[in-house]
Amino acid sequence: AAGHTDGSVALWDCADRTARWTVTRSAPAEARALAFSPDGARLAVGYSDSWLRIIDTASGEVLLQFRAAGSGVSHLQFT
């Protein structure tokens, strides 16, 4: 997975070097932190404007989004 300064996030297929999906945002904010769930089914993305998204890795569907306290997300970890 790769996060970009425009807020888009892409999940790449390493075998054929193509993007499986790309998720964009209407409000520009840097995608600063990415973390996969232990089973690989979800991708958490943290943004410079304190928003977080949980994305389904199979479909690229945004399952949940919310704003965290503070001045931006710089680290994420699933437990």
Side-chain angles (χ1 to χ4, degrees):
H4 304 281
T5 57
D6 67 357
S8 63
V9 176
L11 183 67
W12 289 86
D13 184 323
C14 293
D16 64 13
R17 299 179 181 166
T18 60
R20 291 179 50 200
W21 50 255
T22 300
V23 174
T24 60
R25 287 189 56 182
S26 58
E30 181 179 4
R32 287 187 178 169
L34 304 171
F36 285 99
S37 63
D39 64 1
R42 307 286 184 261
L43 176 65
V45 182
Y47 295 91
S48 59
D49 63 357
S50 299
W51 280 91
L52 290 131
R53 284 181 164 181
I54 306 297
I55 302 171
D56 180 86
T57 57
S59 66
E61 176 186 358
V62 176
L63 302 173
L64 177 69
Q65 59 184 358
F66 57 94
R67 189 167 190 140
S71 61
V73 180
S74 59
H75 298 83
L76 290 172
Q77 180 178 354
F78 273 93
T79 58

